[in-house]
Amino acid sequence: MNKVPSRRCFIALARSVGCIRHNSRHVTCLRRHHSTRGGGPLKEALEEVNTTRRRKQEKKQAHKTRQMTSSVKVPMWNSAAAGAAAGAKFGAYFYTGSASMLSEAIHSGVDALNQLFFMWGTIYSHKNPHPGHPYGFDKSRYLWPLISGLSIFPMGAAITINHGYTQLTNPSLILDNSMLVAYGVLSATAAFKGLTLAYNYQEARKQAKLEGVTLYHYRFKGHEPHTMFVEDVFGAVGIGIAGAGIGLSVYTGNPIFDALGSIGVGTLLASRAVFIVVTKKDALIGRAMDRAKQLSIVELLESENSVFYVSDVKTIVEGPSYVRFKAEIYFDTDFITQSYLSDLDTSSLLKEVRGLQGKEEYEEFIKLFATHMVNALAREVDRLEGLIKMNYPEIQHIDLEAL
């Protein structure tokens, strides 16, 4: 009595014998040993495989959505805080006429616009890939801040430095009790900045946990090292420069210090523009993942019995939790062949070989055996890809070349 193959056997057949992985996302069937038009176990098995794959994609998309929500909240909060600070500083400038206060108002306004640029880049980077952009839009999170660093920051620096130079050559500041308003506004915005720093710290902790790294690694060695932290420091330093300029002018009775404070804030804006351009440029060009992590991946692969050694390793960080990995794998073909043969009934195979008659039957047998061996190698490549993703979930695209 013939035993009916189990559902598990059909799933194995759908995944291995009849299919070979074309890349890390798609499966292309090369051979159909059983018909699926009339239904049956194989069709059900194929549907189950597709359902499992669909669930994985849905889980991945849900993770990506959570990550986007967390990433957007930070620039949204920063933009709102900077916009409120800009409004208060502009009001203080019109009341006092302080050049330093005008520079700080422009600084906060530029910061608010910069955060909107960053937020838009973050949202756009989470668009789903399509044939025109198969690797997605992750680099958009670097493009829009780069545009900001090349446009609004230099413009703000030019305006503030020019205004400060005008006040330096033709002082017009009236030093009276109205300066108390400037002190009050700067104190309030300093408190705003403190809240922003605290909020950014909490969000950085959440993001680091989401990416599976320590807070130190996320801030100083991650895909976008210390950018938000340094930008917060720039904001705090700007408030300090403006406050020092106004304070020295009131203390000495000389409005030149207020003008120098304006020039100092403008210089700070120019420095911040350079910082943004340099950091985003490197991210757009692309850089490799951490060297130690690359070596650990190579060690993981070379610890497998099917691998002789790994060479020509290349990685590129596309965005947060998205790394591309490429390597050439020198396989132990004897091990793979032996693993494949261990799953076969060699006695029956030997009888089949002995029963072959004529050149055509031999060629057909060799073709079929070669196809199965290629499938076996492809399954091993697929297994190694899964092993890498399991241990390093940030690696989303893997290209392993068999040699």
Side-chain angles (χ1 to χ4, degrees), residues 16-17 58 73 107-108 129-130 135 151 154-155 158 165 177 192 194 219 229 245 259 264 297 313 321 328 361 381:
S16 59
V17 176
E58 291 173 353
K73 284 168 65 178
H107 188 183
S108 295
H130 59 70
Y135 295 115
S151 56
M155 188 183 303
Y165 178 76
N177 291 333
F192 264 119
R219 276 207 175 190
F229 175 75
I297 297 173
V313 176
S321 300
E328 294 179 352
E361 289 190 5
V381 170

Side-chain angles (χ1 to χ4, degrees), residues 5 29 49-50 54 62 132 144 151 182-183 190 202 230 238 259 291 332 337-338 350 368:
C29 291
V49 171
N50 291 331
R54 186 166 56 252
W144 288 97
S151 56
Y183 292 143
Q202 292 298 327
V230 174
R291 178 65 177 171
D332 184 348
T337 303
Q338 188 60 42
L350 183 60
L368 184 61

Side-chain angles (χ1 to χ4, degrees), residues 22-227:
H22 179 64
N23 55 38
S24 61
R25 295 183 180 179
H26 303 285
V27 175
T28 304
C29 291
L30 296 180
R31 296 179 62 88
R32 300 286 189 181
H33 294 281
H34 297 269
S35 174
T36 61
R37 292 182 180 177
L42 181 57
K43 184 176 182 179
E44 294 178 4
L46 287 171
E47 290 177 353
E48 185 168 332
V49 171
N50 291 331
T51 300
T52 301
R53 189 180 301 112
R54 186 166 56 252
R55 287 174 180 170
K56 288 182 179 179
Q57 290 294 331
E58 291 173 353
K59 185 177 180 181
K60 181 180 177 181
Q61 185 62 36
H63 173 77
K64 195 173 183 180
T65 301
R66 288 196 302 270
Q67 195 175 52
M68 183 190 71
T69 302
S70 178
S71 300
V72 168
K73 284 168 65 178
V74 174
M76 186 183 298
W77 168 262
N78 288 344
S79 180
K89 290 173 183 176
F90 272 116
Y93 162 68
F94 288 122
Y95 187 75
T96 64
S98 168
S100 292
M101 187 58 69
L102 175 63
S103 296
E104 258 305 285
I106 293 173
H107 188 183
S108 295
V110 167
D111 189 32
L113 290 175
N114 176 59
Q115 293 300 321
L116 291 176
F117 273 71
F118 183 79
M119 184 173 68
W120 171 248
T122 301
I123 294 172
Y124 198 84
S125 70
H126 284 82
K127 286 182 62 178
N128 291 326
H130 59 70
H133 295 274
Y135 295 115
F137 300 84
D138 288 86
K139 289 188 179 295
S140 295
R141 68 170 53 244
Y142 308 125
L143 173 63
W144 288 97
L146 179 64
I147 294 173
S148 172
L150 290 171
S151 56
I152 59 176
F153 276 95
M155 188 183 303
I159 294 173
T160 55
I161 292 175
N162 179 70
H163 184 73
Y165 178 76
T166 301
Q167 291 297 312
L168 187 65
T169 54
N170 298 289
S172 60
L173 180 65
I174 299 174
L175 299 171
D176 54 21
N177 291 333
S178 65
M179 291 297 112
L180 294 175
V181 174
Y183 292 143
V185 170
L186 288 177
S187 299
T189 53
F192 264 119
K193 182 57 65 176
L195 291 174
T196 302
L197 281 167
Y199 184 82
N200 287 342
Y201 175 78
Q202 292 298 327
E203 287 300 317
R205 288 186 60 185
K206 292 179 183 178
Q207 196 69 20
K209 185 177 180 180
L210 195 62
E211 295 188 18
V213 298
T214 64
L215 180 61
Y216 174 81
H217 187 281
Y218 176 76
R219 276 207 175 190
F220 296 98
K221 295 184 178 180
H223 65 277
E224 196 174 359
H226 59 62
T227 299

Side-chain angles (χ1 to χ4, degrees), residues 317-383:
V317 179
E318 296 283 356
S321 300
Y322 184 20
V323 178
R324 292 172 61 186
F325 178 88
K326 177 263 179 187
E328 294 179 352
I329 309 293
Y330 289 79
F331 283 100
D332 184 348
T333 53
D334 290 340
F335 178 83
I336 294 176
T337 303
Q338 188 60 42
S339 299
Y340 171 68
L341 292 176
S342 64
D343 295 331
L344 299 178
D345 184 352
T346 53
S347 299
S348 299
L349 182 63
L350 183 60
K351 290 180 181 180
E352 184 178 350
V353 172
R354 288 174 177 173
L356 296 175
Q357 296 179 357
K359 180 181 178 181
E360 291 184 358
E361 289 190 5
Y362 273 104
E363 288 181 351
E364 183 63 28
F365 175 81
I366 291 173
K367 288 179 182 178
L368 184 61
F369 185 79
T371 298
H372 287 184
M373 281 303 304
V374 170
N375 288 350
L377 180 61
R379 290 196 301 273
E380 183 61 19
V381 170
D382 188 46
R383 188 185 70 82

